[in-house]
Amino acid sequence: MTKLALVRHGQSAWNLENRFTGWWDADLTEKGEAEARHSGQMLKDVDADFRMAFTSLQTRAIRTLWMALTEMNRVWLPVEKSWRLNERHYGGLTGLDKAETAVKHGAEQVHIWRRSYDIPPPPIEAGNPFDPAQDPRYRGIDVPATESLKNTLERVLPYWTSDITPVLAAGTDTVIAAHGNSLRALVKHLFNVPDESITGIEIPTGNPLLIDLDANLKPTKVRYLDSARSASLPDLP
């Protein structure tokens, strides 16, 4: 039985400020660092032999993984980073206050942008100070101007298939430290969550979602390690 731990990064500065973050490289808050360490403490107590880790190119996920691995006494694990595990790109909403945006555009419209499966926010405009297209870490990458959750799934899945699946198929217990929407995309795929239901799946910061996989990489068991902070769980397929 192979174990897969999905860890959403700890609270970021823009989580705290209630701003749309997406591909912007907001760092962890003090609380976020504590959540990251707590994730590692819980993973250390799991009956698993973690041997591989994956994360995004964003600081909040990378540092969450560092801190978790430190608590696990597993800083020696190989770590692979990919932009394909980045958070969903919030387009022109990036950097905006969520409450102020709801007042400006209407709560219903903002809810559609945030929670619909296949309707992206307006694209980010050239010259926007929060546009990540010129960030050196994305050199050679066709950075999107906006993304829906569907778009996020479409760029996560090729990486899941090419890089992560072979590791799991070899029986290697694995940690993925990433973001709310890139992890929701993986959950949608693993648990065959319908388009209309995925919006109801929320992954809390700093609370590992532990999944047992059979030889065919089908989930047989799923649970949050911090039961006091558990959110809705996907149904087993």
Side-chain angles (χ1 to χ4, degrees), residues 169-191:
T172 305
D173 294 339
T174 299
V175 179
I176 301 177
H179 307 264
N181 284 295
S182 53
L183 294 179
R184 286 170 69 223
L186 286 177
V187 165
K188 186 181 192 308
H189 172 69
L190 280 168
F191 294 90

Side-chain angles (χ1 to χ4, degrees), residues 77-231:
L77 257 63
V79 176
E80 186 173 306
K81 304 182 185 76
S82 174
W83 68 273
R84 291 186 178 273
L85 292 176
N86 274 19
E87 177 58 289
R88 168 191 173 191
H89 195 314
Y90 276 102
L93 301 183
T94 304
L96 300 182
D97 180 275
K98 294 176 182 178
E100 292 176 359
T101 305
V103 171
K104 181 178 180 179
H105 295 281
E108 183 177 352
Q109 179 61 69
V110 173
H111 181 77
I112 291 171
W113 285 332
R114 292 186 67 188
R115 291 300 178 184
S116 65
Y117 175 61
D118 56 2
I119 301 176
I124 198 164
E125 296 181 356
N128 187 306
F130 300 127
D131 184 1
Q134 303 306 313
D135 191 313
R137 80 191 77 189
Y138 303 124
R139 187 171 296 134
I141 295 170
D142 187 13
V143 176
T146 186
E147 288 181 310
S148 62
L149 180 58
K150 181 174 183 289
N151 299 141
T152 305
L153 177 64
E154 290 170 348
R155 49 107 161 149
V156 167
L157 272 186
Y159 185 67
W160 167 263
T161 302
S162 64
D163 288 61
I164 302 175
T165 295
V167 172
L168 294 168
T172 305
D173 294 339
T174 299
V175 179
I176 301 177
H179 307 264
N181 284 295
S182 53
L183 294 179
R184 286 170 69 223
L186 286 177
V187 165
K188 186 181 192 308
H189 172 69
L190 280 168
F191 294 90
N192 298 317
V193 180
D195 295 356
E196 64 274 11
S197 301
I198 189 60
T199 58
I201 300 294
E202 187 67 34
I203 299 177
T205 55
N207 188 359
L209 182 65
L210 190 67
I211 304 168
D212 290 352
L213 301 170
D214 66 16
N216 296 314
L217 302 187
K218 299 297 182 184
T220 61
K221 185 178 180 181
V222 57
R223 66 273 193 199
Y224 282 105
L225 296 187
D226 186 348
S227 58
R229 295 182 59 231
S230 291

